[in-house]
Amino acid sequence: MSVPTELIQRLGNVKKVTVLTGAGVSAESGVPTFRDAQTGLWAKYSPEELATPRAFRRNPRLVWEWYEWRRKLVADAQPNAAHFALAEMENIFAQFQLITQNVDGLHQRAGSRNVIELHGNIARTKCFEEGRVVSTWKETGDVPPKCPACGGPLRPDVVWFEEAVPEEKIALANEFSTSCDVFFSIGTSAMVYPAASLPLEALESGATLVEINPQSTPLSKKANFVLSGAAGLIVPELVNCLGD
Ligand code: OAD
């Protein structure tokens, strides 16, 4: 797919660009998405059993071990061409804000410096009882391990279903979405709120909305440009065109 000339021209004339990414951006790194019918995590596992505070209370070992498996998968994965191209975009525009729903840290590993991680980071651990971020603990054989400060169980520092995105993060994301000239929604099914409201807010505030996704989403009909295909092909092509 080639990038429309009209979009390249528009991007040549703007200063403020905001990008929202989702699991599709990491799919080509081998990190499974959530909602893809055959390969998505939620096709195999139930979010209610693995990604809620209630699930953790019911079976903390199961939840910890599932996240350990994902943590390892992500640690072994490498950023792909889409991550690298997005890192390059940070140098092209006067103001460039990356907002991600991904917890895999691959944007940062590709060189993005300024990332709002709406759903946390799987490599970080916090105390389930008190929310304190913990970087070291004693390996006593307990699964999950215990918080060195209060003895409560440790959990991944990610946002689960039934939990809220930290207020300061969503406020910042709102600000960058309502004040940008062009908003990209890349590799997200645009179904999980509050992240899914960001492209709509951008559109309402007058931004040009661009979607990059091989499938259509609830956003596709509203977007000004829909680039249908894999992020690992389209985002580098877009960045190349910007350099011409
Ligand atoms: P989803 O799994 O809901 O959607 C992934 C999207 O990526 C789909 O629209 C795919 O069509 C698209 N996709 C697949 N391969 C792609 C590729 N190579 N290039 C571009 N797009 C591709 O993932 P998210 O929208 O990120 O939350 O899901 C949002 C949240 O729901 C996640 O952050 C997670 C999940 O439950 C929490 O864990 C809190």
Side-chain angles (χ1 to χ4, degrees):
M1 117 136 315
S2 63
V3 179
T5 317
E6 204 191 324
L7 174 58
I8 298 302
Q9 278 166 353
R10 170 97 183 108
L11 287 167
N13 291 321
V14 302
K15 290 200 166 63
K16 299 180 184 173
V17 171
T18 296
V19 176
L20 172 69
T21 63
V25 161
S26 296
E28 291 156 84
S29 295
V31 180
T33 61
F34 294 94
R35 287 176 189 78
D36 282 297
Q38 302 300 323
T39 54
L41 288 173
W42 298 152
K44 292 197 202 101
Y45 307 98
S46 153
E48 293 78 23
E49 281 166 33
L50 293 165
T52 67
R54 236 179 315 161
F56 187 77
R57 268 191 210 100
R58 200 167 45 220
N59 196 340
R61 172 185 278 265
L62 175 76
V63 174
W64 177 266
E65 286 178 345
W66 189 69
Y67 275 94
E68 277 292 284
W69 166 70
R70 282 186 57 208
R71 205 193 304 255
K72 180 157 185 345
L73 192 148
V74 156
D76 292 343
Q78 299 303 324
N80 65 53
H83 296 110
F84 288 114
L86 283 164
E88 244 181 282
M89 277 171 84
E90 202 166 339
N91 304 319
I92 296 177
F93 298 99
Q95 180 187 298
F96 180 82
Q97 184 60 52
L98 186 54
I99 305 167
T100 189
Q101 298 165 86
N102 299 345
V103 297
D104 55 30
L106 288 173
H107 284 304
Q108 292 89 331
R109 281 172 56 198
S112 284
R113 295 180 301 272
N114 183 16
V115 187
I116 300 175
E117 289 181 311
L118 288 179
H119 294 163
N121 192 306
I122 200 168
R124 246 182 354 249
T125 299
K126 68 180 182 182
C127 173
F128 180 71
E129 303 295 349
E130 296 175 345
R132 173 188 306 113
V133 172
V134 167
S135 49
T136 54
W137 56 84
K138 257 200 216 131
E139 289 299 349
T140 57
D142 289 310
V143 182
K146 293 201 162 115
C147 171
C150 77
L154 295 179
R155 58 163 282 180
D157 189 4
V158 297
V159 175
W160 282 332
F161 290 99
E162 300 168 14
E163 291 184 319
V165 171
E167 225 161 87
E168 68 286 356
K169 283 194 188 174
I170 196 66
L172 205 58
N174 278 329
E175 206 177 301
F176 283 107
S177 303
T178 53
S179 64
C180 64
D181 304 308
V182 177
F183 187 101
F184 285 89
S185 176
I186 309 180
T188 173
S189 59
M191 281 170 45
V192 173
Y193 286 82
S197 65
L198 299 173
L200 303 174
E201 284 174 24
L203 201 56
E204 274 165 30
S205 307
T208 300
L209 178 60
V210 186
E211 179 176 64
I212 301 178
N213 198 313
Q215 307 287 334
S216 63
T217 77
L219 270 190
S220 309
K221 282 207 175 93
K222 299 181 175 133
N224 302 95
F225 295 92
V226 176
L227 310 187
S228 178
L233 291 175
I234 296 180
V235 188
E237 191 183 331
L238 182 87
V239 169
N240 267 346
C241 294
L242 292 175
D244 289 344

